[in-house]
PDB file of all heavy atoms in Angstrom:
ATOM      1  N   ARG A 143     102.072  83.847  87.805  1.00 97.00           N
ATOM      2  CA  ARG A 143     101.518  83.031  86.714  1.00 97.00           C
ATOM      3  C   ARG A 143     101.801  83.672  85.357  1.00 97.00           C
ATOM      4  O   ARG A 143     102.112  82.986  84.387  1.00 97.00           O
ATOM      5  CB  ARG A 143     100.011  82.850  86.918  1.00 97.00           C
ATOM      6  CG  ARG A 143      99.662  81.922  88.079  1.00 97.00           C
ATOM      7  CD  ARG A 143      98.181  81.997  88.396  1.00 97.00           C
ATOM      8  NE  ARG A 143      97.353  81.669  87.246  1.00 97.00           N
ATOM      9  CZ  ARG A 143      96.018  81.783  87.228  1.00 97.00           C
ATOM     10  NH1 ARG A 143      95.383  82.237  88.288  1.00 97.00           N
ATOM     11  NH2 ARG A 143      95.339  81.454  86.158  1.00 97.00           N
ATOM     12  N   PRO A 279     115.902 102.379 118.984  1.00 85.00           N
ATOM     13  CA  PRO A 279     116.374 103.747 119.218  1.00 85.00           C
ATOM     14  C   PRO A 279     115.356 104.560 120.013  1.00 85.00           C
ATOM     15  O   PRO A 279     114.149 104.354 119.897  1.00 85.00           O
ATOM     16  CB  PRO A 279     116.545 104.308 117.798  1.00 85.00           C
ATOM     17  CG  PRO A 279     116.741 103.097 116.937  1.00 85.00           C
ATOM     18  CD  PRO A 279     115.896 102.028 117.556  1.00 85.00           C
ATOM     19  N   PRO A 305     119.843  98.469 112.875  1.00 93.00           N
ATOM     20  CA  PRO A 305     120.831  99.544 113.045  1.00 93.00           C
ATOM     21  C   PRO A 305     120.665 100.611 111.973  1.00 93.00           C
ATOM     22  O   PRO A 305     120.063 100.364 110.924  1.00 93.00           O
ATOM     23  CB  PRO A 305     122.171  98.815 112.905  1.00 93.00           C
ATOM     24  CG  PRO A 305     121.856  97.576 112.132  1.00 93.00           C
ATOM     25  CD  PRO A 305     120.469  97.184 112.512  1.00 93.00           C
TER      26      PRO A 305
END
Side-chain angles (χ1 to χ4, degrees):
R143 289 169 57 187

